[in-house]
Amino acid sequence: MATETHCPYCSLQCGMRLTGRRAPEVSAWEEFPVNEGALCRKGWSAAGLYGGRERITSPLVRDRETGEWSAVTWDDALDRVVDGFRAAQAAKGPDGVAIFGGGGLTNEKAYALGKLARVALGTSQIDYNGRWCMSSAASAGIRAFGLDRGLPFPLADVEEADVLVLVGSNLAETMPPAARHLDRLRERGGRVVVVDPRRTPTADRADLHLQPVPGTDLALALGLLHLLVAGGAVDEAYLAERTTGWEQVRDSVAAWWPERVERVTGIDAHEVRALAAMLAGSPRVMVLTARGAEQHSTGSDTVLAWINVALALGMVGRRGAGYGCLTGQGNGQGGREHGQKADQLPGYRRIDDPAARAHVAGVWGVEPDSLPGPGRSAYELLDALGTPDGPSALLVLGSNIVVSAPNATHVTSRLESLDLLVVCDIVMSETAALADVVLPVTQWAEETGTMTNLEGRVVLRQKAITPPSGVRSDLDVIAGIAERLGSTASFPTDPEEVFAELGRASEGGPADYSAITYDRIRAEHGVFWGGERLFGESFAHPDGRARMLAVEHRGAAEQPCADYPVHLTTGRVLAQYQSGAQTRRTRSLPDDGPFVELHPLLAGRLGVATGQSVRVATRRGQMTAPARVVATIRPDTVFVPFHWVGANRLTNDALDPASRMPEFKVCAASVAHA
Ligand code: SF4
């Protein structure tokens, strides 16, 4: 009998069927509305995760003297973990222990992890890799709309737009089943605009492709708004009725003439005018941002600038129009709603809100005053590890930090400075290889749990196969640690029981899951929290109005100079996912390794041809990889995919002041024949 479940990878959470108890086979689940049976190459290959010889099936401890690993019992491993945590807290207080979670963990795990930190350990030091995914869009959404839900409408609404502007998204390559909506939009006569420094497979489908200098998307939005104001295209009635702050925003774009936009972004002024004219004449304009716009030290202001464009046109809340963010990780949305984020409690509540603390403490059976306050953001937490004021023990779940952290050489040295590093994983990832204790856990089809996809649709991944003996679920690990720490709070290990508790803890919060059950999810093909479409009548601020906030172009933290004369940008390729810990081990997916994409003009100056080795260096490190000479990238920019060790040794750890998002997407680099 087939089990209906969802892909282990990206935020689309495509539905699929699995058959077979040991070596599952993937087949289409046509009735699931998000992907209608379509899957990308990663989804079709997902079952290849099983049967790999690299699977860890016993807890392992590493001898620091010899570097050798030994298999130990679960009791021994968990005792060692808890002894280490106690020692760290005895030396440094409750914040001596930190937790680093992941945007691919189920809602139940994210919730239990937050509870483990705040109740059993009493530490404020918890954050997760979703901070590096869409925190800039989340921060901007909360400020502008009073609420952050990546897409406040079903993805299929894209088809109803007359103009779709994709800013920094390559969805045709990163989530191919979603590209059908672009095709249907164009079949209807709608137009697609892509803003991206590279001509990607998504840009190939566009009616207009603008190729800005990396890090200048904000200036383009200011210039568009300038032209919309000058052309009388803004919706004054909507602005008066549904927003505040318009006058300041209008005044802030007065000097953004197209020629100034051209100087900053490198986009021809006539193309800026062409896009503004397209927007001005269209009844339904939709703007979607993704990591290309958001992973910047100006990421949240960039998103606010594009939200201002959508609001000024009166589009937000209108069907087939508005603003949304395309989340990346599988549970990028749910992962930030249930308490594994440094500043949040379950239900997307602020941890410094007394009413939220009282409610959640009541569900957990503890005193509100016993809960710690906000902790450090993801990069700041890693940067503090092993320092006199920072944690000396770290528990990692669902993250491969050594590959995915910015300025990764520095972060790796911080991990190496710890007294105790504990990693839960399925294989010996690059991060697990540094650990003192590795705990082997179940994954994807071996367990049940909910995910919240990029639309805010809560879906159910159902257990389809029997896990290998020797592994335990993350929920078991969390409960085992809590019990050994002597916590009096309960830590259930049945996912449905955890989900019910999560629902109670989230009740009344911005992301309220209290009316969602496993049975409803099964019956309804997923359940949207907050409703299918948001903002039709009002926004989530107390007065119901959206906030328009004036923002300024500042540019990237690093600009090209004599030593580092080009821009470096990073991103994904079709066959790999995130740090590659799973997809690089899936035999049916090609693993060609990293490469350096550069323009023929730059390659000619360097005397480099495709396939030859080039060295890319930044102020933080260097890497060597084969060149790919392509005319689809700006001549002043090079691109490296981030699925392998290397790219993030180069990236910049400059943080966005509001979201604490590192500037993954652009830094200054040098390139040379290796
Ligand atoms: Fe999986 Fe995303 Fe591919 Fe769908 S688009 S099959 S969710 S990786």
Side-chain angles (χ1 to χ4, degrees), residues 107-429:
N107 291 317
E108 292 80 356
K109 294 179 186 181
Y111 169 79
L113 210 49
K115 186 175 175 184
L116 176 73
R118 274 69 180 240
V119 175
L121 284 162
T123 179
S124 68
Q125 302 297 292
I126 176 169
D127 211 49
Y128 80 127
N129 65 19
R131 177 77 67 177
W132 303 338
C133 180
M134 56 172 293
S135 61
S136 291
S139 160
I142 290 169
R143 289 160 74 192
F145 306 134
L147 186 73
D148 155 42
R149 199 180 83 185
L151 292 182
F153 41 73
L155 182 63
D157 281 12
V158 164
E159 297 172 17
E160 299 177 30
D162 297 301
V163 176
L164 172 68
V165 185
L166 290 166
V167 191
S169 167
N170 179 17
L171 65 75
E173 187 166 7
T174 56
M175 48 179 73
R180 68 187 50 229
H181 300 303
L182 271 55
D183 297 338
R184 289 174 185 164
L185 178 160
R186 296 187 72 213
E187 282 161 19
R188 271 189 43 249
R191 286 168 292 179
V192 175
V193 179
V194 170
V195 180
D196 196 313
R198 301 165 64 220
R199 198 177 79 230
T200 62
T202 312
D204 281 339
R205 295 173 188 240
D207 298 273
L208 178 63
H209 173 211
L210 305 181
Q211 244 176 316
V213 172
T216 63
D217 297 327
L218 195 162
L220 175 61
L222 298 177
L224 289 171
L225 197 46
H226 169 98
L227 288 169
L228 294 171
V229 173
V234 300
D235 187 337
E236 296 286 0
Y238 177 97
L239 289 165
E241 189 186 333
R242 300 210 54 194
T243 72
T244 65
W246 165 236
E247 289 76 17
Q248 291 88 335
V249 170
R250 182 193 59 208
D251 294 349
S252 73
V253 300
W256 280 94
W257 298 93
E259 290 71 21
R260 183 180 175 198
V261 175
E262 179 176 321
R263 267 202 315 279
V264 172
T265 65
I267 300 170
D268 284 348
H270 78 266
E271 287 192 312
V272 180
R273 287 195 178 90
L275 176 53
M278 206 189 280
L279 301 182
S282 299
R284 284 168 301 190
V285 172
M286 182 181 287
V287 178
L288 301 180
T289 64
R291 303 305 81 69
E294 300 159 12
Q295 286 180 320
H296 291 278
S297 59
T298 57
S300 44
D301 280 357
T302 299
V303 175
L304 284 170
W306 285 96
I307 287 175
N308 285 341
V309 171
L311 287 168
L313 289 166
M315 295 293 161
V316 183
R318 185 183 295 185
R319 185 163 170 158
Y323 166 79
C325 159
L326 295 161
T327 322
Q329 294 197 82
N331 201 22
Q333 181 71 43
R336 66 181 183 273
E337 296 167 352
H338 301 300
Q340 65 172 330
K341 210 171 167 189
D343 48 0
Q344 284 172 358
L345 289 173
Y348 221 145
R349 291 178 156 98
R350 290 179 59 96
I351 200 167
D352 55 5
D353 173 0
R357 293 171 68 86
H359 173 83
V360 176
V363 174
W364 287 347
V366 298
E367 290 299 318
D369 289 347
S370 71
L371 300 178
R376 294 178 172 95
S377 75
Y379 184 77
E380 291 163 298
L381 188 158
L382 297 176
D383 190 35
L385 295 175
T387 63
D389 297 329
S392 56
L394 177 70
L395 171 65
V396 179
L397 286 89
S399 195
N400 189 7
I401 297 165
V402 169
V403 181
S404 60
N407 196 4
T409 305
H410 170 68
V411 168
T412 301
S413 74
R414 302 273 30 104
L415 293 172
E416 288 169 338
S417 75
L418 287 166
D419 293 337
L420 178 70
L421 174 60
V422 183
V423 174
C424 295
D425 213 324
I426 58 172
V427 292
M428 193 59 87
S429 69

Side-chain angles (χ1 to χ4, degrees), residues 5 8 79 138 186 302 383 447 515-516:
T5 190
D79 285 347
R186 296 187 72 213
T302 299
D383 190 35
E447 57 187 16
I516 305 175

Side-chain angles (χ1 to χ4, degrees), residues 7 9-10 12-14 39-40 42-43 175 177:
C7 175
Y9 300 122
C10 87
L12 211 51
Q13 283 301 288
C14 293
L39 298 169
C40 79
K42 296 185 290 290
M175 48 179 73

Side-chain angles (χ1 to χ4, degrees), residues 441-460:
V441 288
T442 50
Q443 60 159 339
W444 181 46
E446 295 166 350
E447 57 187 16
T448 292
T450 59
M451 309 283 280
T452 304
N453 83 346
L454 78 175
E455 311 163 287
R457 186 193 305 251
V458 185
V459 301
L460 184 62

